[in-house]
Amino acid sequence: MSPPSVIGQPISRVDGRSKVTGAAKYAAEFDPGPRLGHGVVVTSTIAGGVIATIDTAAAETAAGVVAVLTHRNAPKLPYREHKADVDPEDGERLHVLQDDRVHHHGQPVALVVANTFEQATHGASLVRVTYHEEPALTDFGQAETRAVPPGARREDGGHPGETRRGNADAALAAAAVRVVAEYVIPREQHNPIELHATIAAWEDVTLTLWDKTQWVDNVRDEMAAVFGIPIENVRVVSPFGGGAFGSALRPWPHVTLAAMAARHVDRPVKIVLTRRQMYGSTGYRPHTVQRVALGAERTGRLVALHHEGIAETSTYEQYTESLLDATRLLYSCPNVTTRYRVAPMNVNTPTPMRAPGEASGLFALECAMDELAVALDMDPVQLRVRNDAERDEDADLPFSSRALRECFRVGAERFGWERRDPRPTSMRDTSGRLVGYGCASATYPVSVEAASARVQLLVDGSAIVSSAASDMGPGTYTSMTQVAAETLGLPLHRVTFELGDTRMPTAPVHGGSITMASVGSAVQAACTKARRQAFARAKRPSADLVEVLRQLDYSVDVTVHNEPDDAADHYSMHAFGAVFAEVVVDAALGTVRVPRIVGAYGAGRIINPKTAHSQAIGGMVMGIGMALLEHTVVDARSGRVVNSDLAGYLVPVNADVRDLEAIFVDEHDPHVNPLGVKGVAEITLVGVAAAIANAVHHATGRRVRELPITAEKLV
Amino acid sequence: MKVRLALTVNGESREVLAPVHKTLLEVLREDLGLTGTKHGCELGECGTCTVLVDGEPVLSCLALPVAIEGRAITTIEGMAEGGELHPLQQAFAELGAAQCGYCTPGILLTAQALLDETPTPTRDEIKEALAGNLCRCTGYTKILDAVELASMRMGARK
């Protein structure tokens, strides 16, 4: 008899014990031996120009300093061409310490290596740099006027400058009801609690990196390209990530610096960026200005939708994201235009931050929908249900499944939406403070990438399953163990899942909510094959795998590469959700509290409700941060980030969090992938900021269109 | 200028030769290999480096070992007794209060100090005690639930 199903069970994290005892090792905590040197980065203090002089004499003679690397003495690296999915299609990454050019404030201009971190930090403070400063574009207001359409073609994964279906201009002009408004998202920072860190060690011609990354295979490939060595000569290890949310999708300059320095001083080198340095070199969600125009009939039916956005990018890479993608398919509308522009500036390159594109784009669209509901004097839930799309009108494909209406029904009921008095400023709590209810739609695409997994079935009746995947926190170790145990027909405790090492079979990036679908499918396929092989080799017939394995003379060892099927050619595949938020506003002080959020999601099959729920709550709380707190302030004169620490950049603390509830509606999608999973990481952030902003309007009558909604915008 | 530091860490006497200005965080992580104490900002903002000194939560990134010689330092490695998890550790692992796990050691130790002082805290007292610990993954609710669960179990055990 096979054990009871473990997929869908709220299993506690298999790595929980290692995390509560301090045993889990993160990048900076590996010990490459007693000769470890510590590297500290010196960064530019201008946003554009060339380095005139670098005086390293004092640093070089400081106690414990082993080497000071600058563009003058750093080895020239091959920097062979390398582009991964996580790299912008247009442009080229910074070539670190290869020339005297400065492209942005905070760019690495030197590295001090010393015997201890303290000595390296002191040495770095002694490096004197002078510059020939050149005019730099650091003011978004100026850069916006020089914005350009994205260069990369849509077929190459780019995001189009213009799209059009029907005639939105004409339909808007003829519409009975119109809403036109501008919305602003500030730059936001991922701020995982773990600092970005890399340890590099060379042994002859081979390089080992212990790195904070969401994609070990790509770090290997990029370092092989940068140093011009075969990928077989690079090993990258990353068993645990202390959060990332996108900041560790790409290897940033410090990874190359660590490897360069380790070779230069012929000993292992560790670089741990400071919190401050992360603001200048590990990416961010770009500052984005959006304009939305909606036209509707009196019945609420959308007849015109225009959505445009302009976002910052760097001068050396053109970062684009799916800012307007959801707008083209979320609602049924015959006339839709989108227009996307990027503004190159003297800043470091942005990078995907949790729900990149959708989180920003749907803030604008879903606030505009709320404004339309007000203009129509219609319930905001009813407006969304009325405009629900039966098929993807952009791709002209049916949805593989779509639970938007169901999410609004379930979410509204759970939230108590019927208690809402639609008139702004009409609701108060027992202390007399203003109360508001708001809602928003959420959606995020489902992607499946090729992945591989290895299964070893041992003669003691246990299994080791591995893939070069990552776990930055969501619970990859646990969910993969569940999939493997269920597929093999073994109890959980007999299965060990390993990840985070380039020596394991290849896995795609751990981002974009694709890990469960991609790696999970590979694990499932490999386990199916391994189980079959074991039974084929059984000496005596048995239905029990453990019994079969104990008869074997040697273990079963199977590696399977799994390619996604062609479902994406026939179906539009997305998760959908509905978010409801309650706010309480102190009218005199302008302070906003969020006592309640309910999110209902159609995210396919949920492998582990415990980890999925935890991840969803975390997404909502990041949404509270986006709505009310988070804002990277850039000095428009210098390009310097003003609030580059956790005292100046506010993230939600536990006092910001009250009752949060995530509901996963029952959804069986036979098309997305064999496991039927859609992913939950990104979608749980989408829509939260809009729901809160809409609730603030309901509470106060004030429409705040620029995030974050801070007190001064309400008094 | 290095000094000889006599520290009591997790009940053991440890001697370290380190510069007088080297922080407790670095001494623990680098000199003593106790990497369970995490490094998040070095500015006293995130709480992830919290350890206990004579039972009180202290931000190890702002503490100098020379100032706490002879006092009892507890790190996450010293929280479980003889392989048996502290009820807080058990509850955190069970409820999924640790996601990426990086802020977890600092939160566990801060919570331990709270429960030692106030065995059955209210939700608000838990929130107050953990006010200085940032978490970017969990959304906090599971952490608060886990402290409540541990408190309940510890009360039942007495």
Side-chain angles (χ1 to χ4, degrees):
Chain A
M1 205 182 78
S2 59
S5 175
V6 289
I7 289 184
Q9 295 303 309
I11 307 297
S12 294
R13 267 163 216 277
V14 297
D15 51 342
R17 189 184 174 97
S18 71
K19 284 175 173 171
V20 299
T21 56
K25 268 198 190 308
Y26 300 80
E29 295 163 3
F30 285 85
D31 182 6
R35 295 181 68 247
L36 177 67
H38 296 259
V40 168
V41 183
V42 179
T43 57
S44 68
T45 54
I46 64 161
V50 292
I51 296 165
T53 63
I54 295 196
D55 181 358
T56 57
E60 277 161 11
T61 54
V65 170
V66 179
V68 181
L69 284 166
T70 71
H71 70 279
R72 291 184 316 196
N73 66 340
K76 292 289 172 256
L77 301 176
Y79 269 101
R80 289 185 190 151
E81 192 175 329
H82 169 72
K83 284 251 192 256
D85 293 347
V86 291
D87 297 318
E89 189 72 30
D90 274 19
E92 174 63 22
R93 64 178 54 78
L94 275 182
H95 290 190
V96 64
L97 305 188
Q98 299 297 293
D99 59 39
D100 59 0
R101 295 295 317 174
V102 175
H103 303 271
H104 68 87
H105 197 287
Q107 176 185 321
V109 293
L111 182 79
V112 177
V113 183
N115 291 325
T116 71
F117 176 67
E118 297 234 313
Q119 290 166 336
T121 302
H122 179 60
S125 76
L126 300 174
V127 175
R128 292 282 170 267
V129 188
T130 64
Y131 302 92
H132 294 303
E133 209 170 339
E134 292 168 4
L137 201 48
T138 50
D139 180 358
F140 186 81
Q142 277 179 25
E144 200 181 0
T145 63
R146 300 185 213 171
V148 296
R153 297 181 313 162
R154 204 173 177 182
E155 308 84 85
D156 299 328
H159 299 96
E162 342 278 332
T163 68
R164 162 191 297 262
R165 100 174 156 251
N167 186 338
D169 285 348
L172 190 67
V177 180
R178 279 185 291 273
V179 164
V180 180
E182 180 175 291
Y183 303 89
V184 180
I185 310 274
R187 184 189 290 192
E188 293 170 7
Q189 226 75 29
H190 311 72
N191 269 318
I193 303 300
E194 182 198 17
L195 301 173
H196 277 252
T198 304
I199 301 171
W202 290 84
E203 200 172 324
D204 197 11
V205 294
T206 64
L207 170 66
T208 302
L209 290 159
W210 292 268
D211 188 32
K212 174 185 177 68
T213 176
Q214 294 170 245
W215 196 4
V216 288
D217 284 351
N218 185 51
V219 176
R220 174 198 59 196
D221 295 354
E222 182 169 322
M223 288 306 112
V226 169
F227 287 89
I229 57 178
I231 60 168
E232 298 76 38
N233 290 7
V234 185
R235 181 185 180 194
V236 182
V237 180
S238 184
F240 291 100
F245 316 106
S247 68
L249 292 170
R250 310 178 68 190
W252 297 107
H254 69 275
V255 181
T256 301
L257 275 175
M260 175 201 282
R263 196 161 70 173
H264 187 76
V265 302
D266 194 24
R267 54 194 271 193
V269 168
K270 168 156 78 177
I271 295 178
V272 181
L273 294 182
T274 63
R275 178 67 55 184
R276 194 163 292 255
Q277 287 172 342
M278 279 165 56
Y279 286 75
S281 69
T282 60
Y284 52 85
R285 189 193 303 283
H287 173 55
T288 305
V289 175
Q290 300 174 72
R291 294 177 193 95
V292 179
L294 302 178
E297 295 173 352
R298 286 265 165 228
T299 58
R301 201 176 72 86
L302 280 171
V303 292
L305 207 172
H306 173 81
H307 188 172
E308 63 180 66
I310 305 181
E312 62 181 326
T313 185
S314 68
T315 53
Y316 51 94
E317 285 175 315
Q318 193 181 75
Y319 172 78
T320 61
E321 58 187 17
S322 50
L323 181 71
L324 307 170
D325 290 18
T327 296
R328 296 191 283 266
L329 60 88
L330 183 54
Y331 299 117
S332 176
C333 182
N335 304 293
V336 179
T337 58
T338 65
R339 185 172 188 271
Y340 190 22
R341 294 290 182 269
V342 279
M345 297 175 62
N346 286 91
V347 297
N348 50 310
T349 309
T351 211
M353 177 168 157
R354 198 171 193 168
E358 276 76 6
S360 303
L362 283 197
F363 168 69
L365 180 66
E366 288 303 289
C367 285
M369 285 294 279
D370 198 69
E371 300 203 40
L372 180 63
V374 172
L376 287 162
D377 195 20
M378 184 179 222
D379 179 78
V381 171
Q382 202 193 339
L383 176 65
R384 288 171 173 88
V385 169
R386 177 154 303 172
N387 288 290
D388 191 28
E390 293 298 328
R391 60 191 276 120
D392 180 338
E393 295 174 5
D394 179 47
D396 195 22
L397 289 173
F399 290 108
S400 61
S401 62
R402 173 173 166 121
L404 187 72
R405 272 185 304 233
E406 176 69 356
C407 290
F408 269 104
R409 190 186 66 76
V410 170
E413 190 181 307
R414 185 72 198 170
F415 184 80
W417 183 256
E418 82 282 355
R419 293 197 299 270
R420 179 181 190 263
D421 181 333
R423 296 166 301 156
T425 73
S426 63
M427 291 169 66
R428 305 219 171 220
D429 70 1
T430 49
S431 316
R433 293 174 304 179
L434 294 162
V435 172
Y437 288 5
C439 71
S441 297
T443 186
Y444 197 79
V446 180
S447 305
V448 187
E449 299 281 342
S452 301
R454 178 183 181 192
V455 179
Q456 294 163 274
L457 300 178
L458 309 182
V459 294
D460 68 354
S462 67
I464 300 169
V465 183
S466 60
S467 179
S470 302
D471 190 348
M472 62 175 151
T476 313
Y477 281 106
T478 310
S479 53
M480 296 304 161
T481 304
Q482 287 174 262
V483 170
E486 171 120 349
T487 312
L488 289 167
L490 287 177
L492 277 174
H493 70 270
R494 290 192 174 274
V495 180
T496 305
F497 183 76
E498 296 173 342
L499 56 71
D501 190 328
T502 48
R503 289 185 176 174
M504 297 168 182
T506 191
V509 64
H510 181 45
S513 301
I514 70 165
T515 297
M516 197 64 244
S518 308
V519 181
S521 296
V523 166
Q524 189 187 37
C527 288
T528 302
K529 187 171 175 187
R531 181 180 158 89
R532 214 166 38 226
Q533 278 195 9
F535 279 102
R537 280 171 48 197
K539 292 174 179 164
R540 290 178 304 280
S542 167
D544 180 42
L545 181 62
V546 175
E547 214 169 281
V548 166
L549 291 176
R550 285 180 175 154
Q551 303 167 15
L552 301 183
D553 302 321
Y554 59 98
S555 57
V556 173
D557 194 339
V558 160
T559 299
V560 169
H561 183 70
N562 188 68
E563 292 279 347
D565 63 16
D566 62 353
D569 298 336
H570 306 292
Y571 297 97
S572 174
M573 306 190 292
H574 299 261
F576 291 91
V579 190
F580 295 83
E582 176 181 337
V583 299
V584 173
V585 183
D586 185 316
L589 295 173
T591 49
V592 180
R593 311 290 288 166
V594 183
R596 240 161 26 102
I597 298 179
V598 173
Y601 304 97
R605 191 182 193 187
I606 300 301
I607 300 294
N608 184 329
K610 187 184 285 189
T611 52
H613 187 262
S614 190
Q615 201 180 9
I617 300 297
M620 290 177 183
V621 171
M622 205 172 262
I624 294 176
M626 181 178 182
L628 303 179
L629 302 167
E630 300 191 32
H631 180 187
T632 306
V633 181
V634 182
D635 187 332
R637 299 164 303 177
S638 64
R640 186 178 75 91
V641 175
V642 177
N643 58 340
S644 55
D645 57 51
L646 290 166
Y649 183 100
L650 302 184
V651 299
V653 298
N654 80 49
D656 296 310
V657 176
R658 294 272 293 280
D659 291 341
L660 305 174
E661 189 173 350
I663 303 161
F664 296 105
V665 304
D666 219 15
E667 188 176 63
H668 300 277
D669 189 323
H671 308 297
V672 275
N673 48 67
L675 284 168
V677 301
K678 289 184 168 181
V680 300
E682 326 290 328
I683 190 171
T684 51
L685 174 65
V686 181
V688 176
I692 291 172
N694 295 340
V696 166
H697 174 264
H698 180 232
T700 65
R702 301 279 291 273
R703 183 66 69 177
V704 180
R705 300 185 180 89
E706 180 167 3
L707 295 180
I709 306 170
T710 41
E712 77 277 8
K713 292 173 186 163
L714 287 173
V715 291
Chain B
M1 182 55 186
K2 287 188 176 179
V3 293
R4 196 171 294 280
L5 299 162
L7 302 175
T8 310
V9 183
N10 301 328
E12 286 177 34
S13 297
R14 305 289 297 262
E15 228 172 58
V16 177
L17 197 62
V20 68
H21 54 271
K22 193 165 183 174
T23 65
L24 178 59
L25 171 65
E26 287 163 30
V27 167
L28 289 171
R29 279 173 70 88
E30 291 173 17
D31 297 85
L32 299 177
L34 295 171
T35 54
T37 303
K38 302 304 179 192
H39 172 190
C41 69
E42 287 196 327
L43 298 167
E45 293 165 352
C46 72
T48 196
C49 69
T50 306
V51 299
L52 301 183
V53 176
D54 289 342
E56 289 290 321
V58 165
L59 297 173
S60 64
C61 74
L62 300 182
L64 294 178
V66 71
I68 51 173
E69 275 190 295
R71 297 170 68 187
I73 301 165
T74 308
T75 71
I76 192 67
E77 290 89 346
M79 197 169 173
E81 278 180 26
E84 194 189 336
L85 295 182
H86 187 283
L88 277 164
Q89 292 174 302
Q90 187 63 42
F92 270 60
E94 251 175 66
L95 297 192
Q99 255 188 56
C100 83
Y102 203 78
C103 67
T104 309
I107 290 178
L108 280 167
L109 290 164
T110 309
Q112 186 186 342
L114 169 71
L115 295 188
D116 285 349
E117 186 84 6
T118 313
T120 51
T122 62
R123 187 88 167 183
D124 281 345
E125 284 171 324
I126 298 170
K127 294 185 94 164
E128 179 71 26
L130 297 178
N133 293 84
L134 299 181
C135 170
R136 194 68 160 147
C137 297
T138 64
Y140 298 103
T141 57
K142 311 274 176 185
I143 292 170
L144 306 175
D145 292 348
V147 177
E148 282 177 344
L149 178 64
S151 158
M152 204 180 71
R153 285 177 178 169
M154 289 164 77
R157 196 184 285 183
K158 276 170 194 161

